[in-house]
Amino acid sequence: MAAKVTIWCPSLALVISMLFLTGGCHTPPPSYDVSRPPDRGVLFEYPWFNDQPTGIAVSSENRIFVSFPRWGRDPLYSVAEVLPEGSLRPYPDLSWNSWDKPGGKQPAAQFVCVQSVFVDNDDNLWILDPASPSFKGVVKGAAKLVKVNLAEDRVEQVIVFDEQIALPKSYLLVPSSCDV
């Protein structure tokens, strides 16, 4: 005689409700006591990048910055400013974007494999460089967070992550929209 087995199969609505009740990553509702960001004009479509962008940031003066990782091939620039006519300017300068060029390989003073860019409320550009080209391991002394003063187009601070923060086989990421 076979034993009778009862399997509980919750409805999809119950599962979704349980996910919402247990928390997790969410975007909080807009608050009426927080001012809206300024309107920055119309959206536009940039037609083409020869390299794969992973980050984009826009300053309060509508300057646009993009980052390109070193995930399979070397990008023209790791970080660039998109100029009004659509061309790219290495940012903050060519030296920071010369890891793969002759005279390169200065881990704390050059971009190795940039993941993302972010403009803060004080108009500083923050650049996260996990320094793991093609996800093959962190280049020693190269994982860093770089702060660039946009008013002066000058690097103000470099925070180098040691091997206890950026483990040799890790890849640093900026969290998505989880209350950052």
Side-chain angles (χ1 to χ4, degrees):
M1 175 158 107
K4 184 176 179 183
V5 177
T6 304
I7 299 174
W8 181 65
C9 189
S11 70
L12 181 59
L14 179 62
V15 170
I16 291 172
S17 298
M18 289 170 52
L19 287 174
F20 281 115
L21 292 174
T22 58
C25 184
H26 71 286
T27 302
S31 175
Y32 292 104
D33 62 343
V34 176
S35 62
R36 286 179 43 122
D39 213 2
R40 295 195 176 160
V42 233
L43 292 176
F44 70 93
E45 180 179 340
Y46 188 80
W48 181 258
F49 289 123
N50 288 323
D51 299 305
Q52 176 187 1
T54 56
I56 185 165
V58 181
S59 75
S60 65
E61 294 181 0
N62 291 321
R63 293 173 67 187
I64 301 169
F65 302 91
V66 291
S67 61
F68 302 97
R70 194 167 268 113
W71 281 351
R73 66 180 196 159
D74 291 336
L76 179 61
Y77 306 122
S78 292
V79 178
E81 180 174 5
V82 181
L83 299 177
E85 81 282 353
S87 67
L88 297 176
R89 176 174 76 102
Y91 197 81
D93 58 35
L94 191 55
S95 175
W96 273 94
N97 285 272
S98 296
W99 175 256
D100 58 339
K101 311 288 187 280
K105 309 293 189 238
Q106 299 172 35
Q110 292 177 317
F111 300 128
V112 175
C113 184
V114 173
Q115 170 62 32
S116 56
V117 289
F118 175 79
V119 176
D120 68 17
N121 291 333
D122 295 324
D123 252 9
N124 294 299
L125 180 68
W126 291 89
I127 302 162
L128 178 64
D129 185 358
S132 181
S134 299
F135 305 100
K136 292 183 179 172
V138 177
V139 173
K140 189 175 179 101
K144 62 192 156 293
L145 184 62
V146 178
K147 177 185 177 184
V148 181
N149 178 321
L150 293 179
E152 299 177 21
D153 294 325
R154 180 178 54 85
V155 173
E156 282 192 347
Q157 186 176 14
V158 178
I159 303 167
V160 177
F161 302 118
D162 63 21
E163 290 181 355
Q164 292 178 339
I165 301 295
L167 302 174
K169 295 293 181 186
S170 69
Y171 194 87
L172 300 173
L173 296 172
V174 174
S176 61
S177 61
C178 294
D179 301 327
V180 178

